[in-house]
Every structure is written in C-alpha cells, then in structure tokens.
Amino acid sequence: MDNPLARKLSHFTRLWASDEAALDVLSRQRVRQVNARHDLIREGDRPEHVNLILSGWACRYKTLEDGRRQIIAILLPGDFCDLNIFILRAMDHSMAAITPVTHAEVSREVLEEVMLKQPRITQALWWDSLVTAAIQREWNVSLGQRTALERVGHILCELFVRLRMVGLTNGNSCEFPITQVDLADATGLSAVHLNRTLQELRAGDLIVLRDRLLTIRDLRALQMLSLFNPNYLHLDAEGQQYGANES
C-alpha cells in the first residue's frame, strides 16, 4: 500500500482492494507540482477542486494586513486540503507549499462518484474529517494553554505520529523539512523563542534535529513532557474493526 491516502484511511476503516484501487484513481487526478514557498490557492480565490497532497509538506495560513502570518495547519502526504471546500464561494485562508509539493486536483464529480460507489472510503473520510477538526482543537489548546516547551514538543510528537501513519518514518526518525520560521509561525512563538526551545529539547537529549532530519530519542518521554495524548488522532478508530457495509 504505497498510496499515502490509502495508508492513512486504513487506520479508520478496513479497505478492500477495490477501495485501494479507487483511491489510486483519486491520486492520479490532474497531478500537479508546486515549488516551495508558492501558494496552491490564495485567500479570496474561488475553489474549483480539492487538493490531495501526494508528496511534500504544505500548510494552511492566514496573514494579517501588517504581514504577520499564522500557520493554522500543516499538511502532509495523504492529506486532503479541506474536503468540503466546494461549498465556499471564496477561500477564507491560503494554502502554500512548504517544500516542493506534488498534489492531485480532485474534482467534485470524481470525489462524489468514489464516495457513492465505495462506502468504506466514505466512512474513512468521515473519520478523517473528524481527526482534522480534532487536530485544530489541539492546536488551539497549545496556543492558549501550553508552555513554549510543551507547545513545541507537542507539535513534534504529532507530526511524527502522523508521518508514521502514512509510512514516512524510519524507526524513531523522519524527514523534517520545515524551517524554524515556519515552526514558529505554527506555534505562535518568535523565531528566537522557538530556537531557544529547540535547544532546550536537544539539551534534554529528547531530540536530534539536523540536516532536515528529526530523531526523537525517547518518544514516551517527549510525550510526557509535552502533555501529548495521541487519542485525538483516533488511531484505534472503531471503523478499523469493520467495513462500512458490515455490522
């Protein structure tokens, strides 16, 4: 199962071969490449399709009139960019490539046809939408209540677990191409404060972050320090135990 979308959705629902084939069809819809630091879509644009990230990292963000930016979500391979975007007349936020990104542009018609014919995929996408909302809630908690150390440790844990879901980790390591500026914009910290916090995590022998590679030396210890509970990612989703047509 090399398709990152299929890998992720299989955590929510047991997929059949026909489901995996349908997801491969989605992943081949108008495949496009975007260079790093370029927008996939801008605030105010009219959305015409759903973007599915196939490779690379992207983000959702908002920019204030004075140029300050808040990253409100990090998008990884296997992630849809706003599944229900078709109801919008205009985007209320922007999406940009953090690294070079390959993505599929999935039309409403193709997506609706797959969901109609493949109920397991529909069930899995419901789960995925719930997890997306849960991640947003957890980020809100981090911005409002967690300390800087907890905040940074928490997002490192989350991104590592999400990458592991789609088979993009190697033991306790994963590629980590996001810059410190991006990470600061995602955690609501200044670049200086973010750098100091990463140094503290390094000094505690919890992480090694070098040459775009993150190694978590002790995931359990980092989770405890960061107050990270992966329950909001619903890795033990009930849907994994049965197919959508089964009781």
Side-chain angles (χ1 to χ4, degrees):
M1 192 183 296
D2 295 327
N3 186 323
L5 176 61
R7 281 183 178 270
K8 183 174 70 166
L9 296 187
S10 67
H11 287 274
F12 306 130
T13 300
R14 189 169 67 235
L15 298 176
W16 288 359
S18 60
D19 299 318
E20 294 179 22
L23 293 175
D24 283 339
V25 170
L26 288 181
S27 299
R28 292 196 298 268
Q29 297 295 305
R30 297 183 62 185
V31 175
R32 299 286 188 266
Q33 294 183 334
V34 177
N35 292 329
R37 306 298 154 187
H38 284 65
D39 286 328
L40 280 74
I41 190 169
R42 294 184 176 91
E43 184 170 357
D45 289 351
R46 184 178 183 89
E48 298 178 350
H49 49 257
V50 174
N51 291 304
L52 168 62
I53 304 298
L54 301 176
S55 67
W57 291 34
C59 67
R60 297 190 188 98
Y61 72 93
K62 294 279 290 186
T63 303
L64 300 181
E65 292 182 0
D66 60 5
R68 284 176 292 166
R69 181 184 68 156
Q70 179 70 43
I71 290 179
I72 53 178
I74 294 176
L75 303 166
L76 303 175
D79 285 345
F80 275 111
C81 304
D82 292 329
L83 192 59
N84 300 312
I85 206 168
F86 301 113
I87 65 174
L88 298 179
R89 292 187 176 180
M91 291 291 296
D92 55 22
H93 63 282
S94 302
M95 299 181 194
I98 294 175
T99 68
V101 163
T102 301
H103 65 103
E105 296 179 347
V106 183
S107 69
R108 178 174 186 169
E109 293 75 20
V110 170
L111 184 59
E112 289 180 342
E113 181 179 4
V114 168
M115 294 178 68
L116 180 64
K117 294 181 177 179
Q118 309 291 148
R120 284 175 177 76
I121 291 178
T122 302
Q123 183 188 55
L125 290 175
W126 287 344
W127 273 107
D128 186 47
S129 295
L130 291 172
V131 169
T132 297
I135 289 172
Q136 197 68 67
R137 287 192 293 270
E138 204 67 30
W139 279 40
N140 290 344
V141 173
S142 285
L143 290 173
Q145 296 298 327
R146 289 189 175 98
T147 66
L149 193 64
E150 293 166 349
R151 205 179 296 183
V152 175
H154 196 279
I155 198 171
L156 295 181
C157 288
E158 178 193 293
L159 291 172
F160 180 81
V161 172
R162 287 172 60 195
L163 288 167
R164 188 170 60 186
M165 287 175 66
V166 294
L168 293 177
T169 58
N170 182 13
N172 61 345
S173 299
C174 63
E175 290 187 13
F176 202 78
I178 191 170
T179 68
Q180 289 195 19
V181 171
D182 292 329
L183 203 54
D185 285 348
T187 54
L189 302 171
S190 69
V192 172
H193 198 174
L194 185 279
N195 182 271
R196 188 183 307 125
T197 304
L198 288 174
Q199 293 295 343
E200 190 172 349
L201 291 172
R202 289 187 178 102
D205 203 30
L206 291 170
I207 68 166
V208 176
L209 186 55
R210 183 185 302 120
D211 298 328
R212 297 162 64 94
L213 182 71
L214 170 67
T215 299
I216 300 179
R217 291 188 176 275
D218 189 336
L219 180 58
R220 181 174 177 80
L222 185 60
Q223 288 177 331
M224 292 179 64
L225 174 70
S226 309
L227 307 180
F228 177 83
N229 184 339
N231 67 342
Y232 68 99
L233 298 174
H234 297 281
L235 299 178
D236 58 347
E238 294 178 5
Q240 197 174 23
Q241 302 171 22
Y242 52 83
N245 287 338
E246 299 170 348
S247 59

